[in-house]
Amino acid sequence: MCGIVGYVGGQQAAPLLLEGLGRLEHRGYDSAGLAVLSSGKGLKVTKLAGRVRALEAALPKRFGGKVGIGHTRWATHGPANDVNAHPHLDATGQVAVVHNGIIDNAAALRAELADEGVELVSDTDTEVVAHLVGRSDADTLEAKVSAALRRVEGTYGLAVLHAGFPDRIVVARNGSPLIIGVGDKEMHVASDLAALVRYTTTVVHLADGEMATLTATGYSTYREDLSATDRRADTLDIDPASYDAGEHESFMRKEMLEQPEAVERTIRGRLDERFGTSHLGGLDMDARDLRAVRRVKVLGCGSAYYVGQMGAQLIEELARVPADAEAASEFRYRNPIIEPDTLYVAVSQSGETVDTLLAVQEVRRKGGRCIGLVNVVGSAIARECDGGVYLHAGPEVAVASTKALTTMYVGFALLALQLGRVRDMSIADGKRLVAGLQRLPADLEEALALEDELVPVAERLARAESLFFVGRVCGFPVAREGAQKFKEVTYRHAEAYQTSELKHGPLALIDKTVPTVAIVPEDELADRNVGALHEIAARKGPLVVVTHPGVDLGDVADRTIRIDVPRNEPELDPILLTVPLQLLAYHAARHLERDIDKPRNLAKSVTVE
Ligand code: G6P
């Protein structure tokens, strides 16, 4: 969700902070703001509703200061307007705070402050922190922030400036990521590595309940009661260029094209050709533990939920263990029965999605075992799980997930192989799938090569106000993900349905203005799927069929756009069928001149319920 940056050192802070905010914009982008401090001149703040480039344009000429904090917001408390944008100030204008997360007792604290005569100017929960820091009579900024946080319940990653302490930034973390970047006579802080890697790859990940003070000469870490912690910096082996779009016109396109190499990283060192299985050391489960699993329950949100459905089908098919997926955002609220012999699998690109995190906590609180399929190393969900599989997709910046999603599917395939091979899956089948996974990067490359052919199709689909995406069994989650991607980036109404259910309702909506994108894999249901296509064609519904070369579409093909996707092993087909749907969504959105990487109202990681 929102993004935080901070800088203290020998350079002017504002340009560095703006650059960092630009890199965090995918996390939230309805408002932005900066505060800088220079000794003797006090605090300067500029903030507004709108994007970072609007903030840059609005900065006064004199916005000097070598200490500063910045924020890009995705509104939760109060609408996106200038007043609700961060940083928030205390009543004296001495204190500035940027914050990610939610202060649960904000209403009570607001009422209390109002009773004490404090005038609250914004609708936000964050403003209370600024007032609490400003009203503390402790001697040091660290003690003031600590005193304020003692009053606060909720989640936060926050950074505080105080005009009375112009050499430092004090930061605190509880449930919302904060990373310190250690530079040469300068220190950075950000809620995401993306904003740091251009300056340094030597970083300190703060733990929940931890605070830090940053000055030009170094950092110190301590608990909220101010007792010291000794958190060392790590130098990460990451390529800063992987956080840039480079020559690509958008991150989404770059990330779609990166899918083959991302999958190579996911499978690297994890396939066992000899025994036709996989090695997933991070699971921390031996053969006996894996055999004891009687059921698998996948939990995720958005695209992660849809790929979770694909993954559950894969596990059930390969390992013959009952498996299903559920939206993590719903799971916790129905008092779920947690079974000791069920393996819960949380799936998340960011590892931060709070609905998924809370579902993991619910499972573990009730004694269940939960593993994670997570992309971001060291993220909250990864740390909360009993073990897991890092996806190694590389940084994903576009809000609409493509390469991370593909590696999630591969993660499920690796898990299914291991669960299957300690059960009844034959070595021959295991070897067949291992070979299929090894071929997958090349097949993804081939699927991506359909791009030119898909551009005119996408442009035709872009004209429709409303579309259906249909599929059956393994094709249904593919259709759901296809509809999700299409609606996220085009803002068109795209609805997924089981092909078999069309005649039980949605057929009423089909006419020549409502296209259907049908997923028809080459499987035992292909003929039945083609039958349903006739029902659509008879109502003059335009049809785009994503299928395999071996499928006979009969005479329905005369009125149909056919997109042939390369085949791998049947179990791995769903992810290849997903690729043209990404490309269709992308090119439809491009035709409509949408802001593809930052669709309206969405954010890359949703850290609020
Ligand atoms: C947000 C994004 C979706 C994403 C979902 C889950 O809602 O807009 O595109 O699929 O979060 O994100 P995660 O990081 O948990 O995979």
Side-chain angles (χ1 to χ4, degrees):
M1 218 82 182
C2 315
I4 289 177
V5 290
Y7 172 81
V8 47
Q11 307 184 57
Q12 285 300 324
L16 297 171
L17 296 173
L18 284 171
E19 199 272 338
L21 285 183
R23 287 173 184 275
L24 296 187
E25 250 194 329
H26 60 293
R27 300 176 61 89
Y29 33 86
D30 58 36
S31 24
L34 287 187
V36 292
L37 253 182
S38 57
S39 41
K41 299 218 179 83
L43 201 58
K44 299 185 198 92
V45 179
T46 300
K47 56 182 191 164
L48 45 75
R51 295 284 173 91
V52 173
R53 54 178 182 273
L55 174 68
E56 186 167 8
L59 280 191
K61 281 227 163 48
R62 291 176 184 280
F63 203 72
K66 294 178 179 174
V67 188
I69 54 178
H71 192 263
T72 168
R73 176 169 187 251
W74 190 83
T76 53
H77 281 62
N81 58 30
D82 295 355
V83 175
N84 288 336
H86 297 215
H88 287 283
L89 304 180
D90 76 328
T92 66
Q94 294 268 97
V95 178
V97 176
V98 292
H99 164 229
N100 288 352
I102 299 271
I103 311 264
D104 294 331
N105 60 341
L109 291 171
R110 285 177 74 95
E112 195 181 300
L113 286 162
D115 278 350
E116 290 169 16
V118 176
E119 198 196 330
L120 289 129
V121 296
S122 76
D123 309 312
T124 67
D125 52 344
T126 305
E127 188 185 344
V128 300
V129 181
H131 291 296
L132 291 172
V133 173
R135 292 169 74 75
S136 161
D137 51 15
D139 296 337
T140 63
L141 181 54
E142 289 76 1
K144 286 176 191 290
V145 176
S146 155
L149 293 182
R150 250 176 277 139
R151 303 294 322 283
V152 161
E153 288 160 23
T155 56
Y156 45 83
L158 54 83
V160 184
L161 289 187
H162 194 303
F165 304 87
D167 65 335
R168 64 194 53 214
I169 306 173
V170 170
V171 302
R173 168 188 172 139
N174 187 37
S176 230
L178 265 193
I179 309 164
I180 299 170
V182 181
D184 181 17
K185 301 200 188 68
E186 58 181 27
M187 300 296 295
H188 299 258
V189 64
S191 52
D192 192 307
L193 269 180
L196 297 176
V197 289
R198 211 178 134 211
Y199 307 107
T200 177
T201 51
T202 302
V203 301
V204 182
H205 284 269
L206 286 185
D208 283 340
E210 207 168 24
M211 294 174 60
T213 298
L214 318 182
T215 65
T217 51
Y219 71 91
S220 57
T221 57
Y222 40 91
R223 296 181 192 89
E224 284 184 3
D225 63 6
L226 304 182
S227 60
T229 56
D230 181 21
R231 199 155 293 276
R232 302 274 160 84
D234 296 317
T235 298
L236 303 178
D237 179 21
I238 41 177
D239 174 13
S242 62
Y243 288 86
D244 287 322
E247 80 272 19
H248 299 284
E249 63 176 47
S250 68
F251 277 101
M252 185 175 170
R253 182 149 196 283
K254 172 183 182 244
E255 289 158 6
M256 284 192 296
L257 298 181
E258 282 174 348
Q259 292 180 99
E261 49 182 284
V263 167
E264 262 166 30
R265 284 196 296 270
T266 313
I267 59 176
R268 188 170 301 150
R270 286 170 164 168
L271 293 177
D272 180 337
E273 291 178 22
R274 194 158 145 239
F275 289 104
T277 185
S278 66
H279 292 301
L280 298 169
L283 284 190
D284 216 11
M285 291 171 80
D286 63 19
R288 242 174 250 210
D289 297 330
L290 289 166
R291 277 197 67 97
V293 172
R294 289 274 152 269
R295 182 180 291 277
V296 174
K297 177 82 167 181
V298 181
L299 300 165
C301 295
S303 290
Y305 164 44
Y306 301 133
V307 79
Q309 266 195 323
M310 299 182 207
Q313 290 185 353
L314 190 65
I315 289 171
E316 196 162 289
E317 167 115 12
L318 290 176
R320 302 310 296 157
V321 178
D324 70 342
E326 184 168 342
S329 48
E330 290 285 294
F331 175 76
R332 197 168 67 104
Y333 290 98
R334 57 173 188 78
N335 194 17
I337 298 166
I338 304 298
E339 296 157 315
D341 48 8
T342 294
L343 179 65
Y344 295 85
V345 183
V347 58
S348 172
Q349 187 288 127
S350 61
E352 275 180 53
T353 302
V354 86
D355 287 318
T356 310
L357 179 64
L358 292 172
V360 173
Q361 288 170 344
E362 179 70 4
V363 169
R364 299 204 62 225
R365 191 184 64 76
K366 289 183 170 173
R369 185 201 287 264
C370 191
I371 60 162
L373 295 190
V374 175
N375 192 35
V376 177
V377 175
S379 53
I381 294 171
R383 281 186 286 124
E384 193 72 32
C385 283
D386 292 288
V389 181
Y390 279 124
L391 301 170
H392 303 306
E396 190 177 70
V397 175
V399 168
S401 181
T402 53
K403 65 173 179 175
L405 180 127
T406 299
T407 59
M408 285 171 188
Y409 191 80
V410 172
F412 279 115
L414 294 171
L415 182 61
L417 252 179
Q418 213 169 74
L419 282 168
R421 288 288 292 124
V422 296
R423 292 184 167 71
D424 301 330
M425 190 201 283
S426 68
I427 188 162
D429 261 345
K431 286 184 170 184
R432 180 176 63 77
L433 277 156
V434 166
L437 283 165
Q438 286 165 332
R439 277 199 314 278
L440 194 57
D443 288 346
L444 284 164
E445 207 76 71
E446 228 183 290
L448 288 164
L450 292 167
E451 183 168 16
D452 289 346
E453 182 188 327
L454 288 170
V455 175
V457 184
E459 291 178 358
R460 278 173 70 175
L461 292 179
R463 280 186 234 139
E465 290 296 331
S466 187
L467 303 89
F468 281 104
F469 283 71
V470 299
R472 289 190 80 161
V473 190
C474 76
F476 179 54
V478 175
R480 290 186 94 182
E481 168 52 22
Q484 156 97 346
K485 203 103 298 161
F486 205 88
K487 73 176 82 128
E488 276 184 313
V489 295
T490 67
Y491 316 155
R492 296 302 198 209
H493 171 242
E495 194 174 343
Y497 247 94
Q498 291 97 334
T499 318
S500 51
E501 282 287 300
L502 269 178
K503 57 185 177 299
H504 298 300
L507 211 50
L509 298 176
I510 298 289
D511 64 20
K512 63 181 187 322
T513 66
V514 181
T516 300
V517 178
I519 319 301
V520 183
E522 185 178 0
D523 59 16
E524 59 283 5
L525 287 171
D527 289 346
R528 285 177 190 277
N529 274 323
V530 174
L533 300 189
H534 280 283
E535 290 167 12
I536 296 168
R539 272 97 193 158
K540 299 197 167 42
L543 268 167
V544 173
V545 185
V546 178
T547 187
H548 291 130
V551 173
D552 179 7
L553 295 183
D555 59 1
V556 85
D558 301 343
R559 297 176 296 268
T560 301
I561 301 173
R562 175 183 183 124
I563 299 162
D564 278 327
V565 176
R567 283 221 79 177
N568 191 293
E569 298 303 325
E571 296 87 343
L572 302 180
D573 279 339
I575 205 60
L576 287 162
L577 291 163
T578 304
V579 173
L581 304 183
Q582 299 170 346
L583 291 164
L584 285 175
Y586 176 79
H587 283 286
R590 192 170 178 272
H591 185 65
L592 294 165
E593 297 181 6
R594 301 296 194 231
D595 191 349
I596 294 179
D597 287 340
K598 302 186 191 82
R600 70 181 180 201
N601 305 340
L602 301 179
K604 183 68 181 159
S605 50
V606 181
T607 53
V608 290
E609 272 190 86

